[in-house]
């Protein structure tokens, strides 16, 4: 498996600023995690009931249900 990356939208900008000793005028706006995942993650379709709760199976595979594009995009 190769390296992967993902954008992280929920993070502690001040904590990251302090950890990286960034200058006063800089504040992180986005965090990108790059590396090899420590677990197996599988994207799946959301259930018929719309449930998008994450779950794990008996082999500790992490499932991340996603809604279909046509379910979240409004047409005009």
């Amino acid at each position: 498996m190769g390296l992967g990356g993902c954008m992280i939208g929920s993070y502690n900008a001040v904590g990251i600023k302090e950890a990286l000793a960034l200058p006063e005028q800089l504040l992180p706006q986005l965090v990108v995690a790059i590396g090899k995942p420590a677990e197996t993650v599988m994207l799946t379709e959301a259930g018929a009931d719309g449930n998008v709760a994450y779950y794990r199976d008996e082999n500790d595979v992490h499932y991340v249900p996603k809604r279909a594009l046509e379910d979240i995009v409004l047409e005009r």
Side-chain angles (χ1 to χ4, degrees), residues 58-71:
E58 64 279 355
N59 297 313
D60 206 31
V61 174
H62 185 181
Y63 289 87
V64 182
K66 299 291 183 182
R67 293 181 179 92
L69 184 61
E70 56 270 10
D71 294 337

Side-chain angles (χ1 to χ4, degrees), residues 11-40:
Y11 59 92
N12 180 339
V14 173
I16 291 172
K17 177 184 174 83
E18 291 172 358
L20 297 176
L22 296 177
E24 182 64 32
Q25 70 273 18
L26 297 181
L27 187 66
Q29 298 296 306
L30 179 69
V31 174
V32 178
I34 300 172
K36 185 175 179 180
E39 62 186 356
T40 301

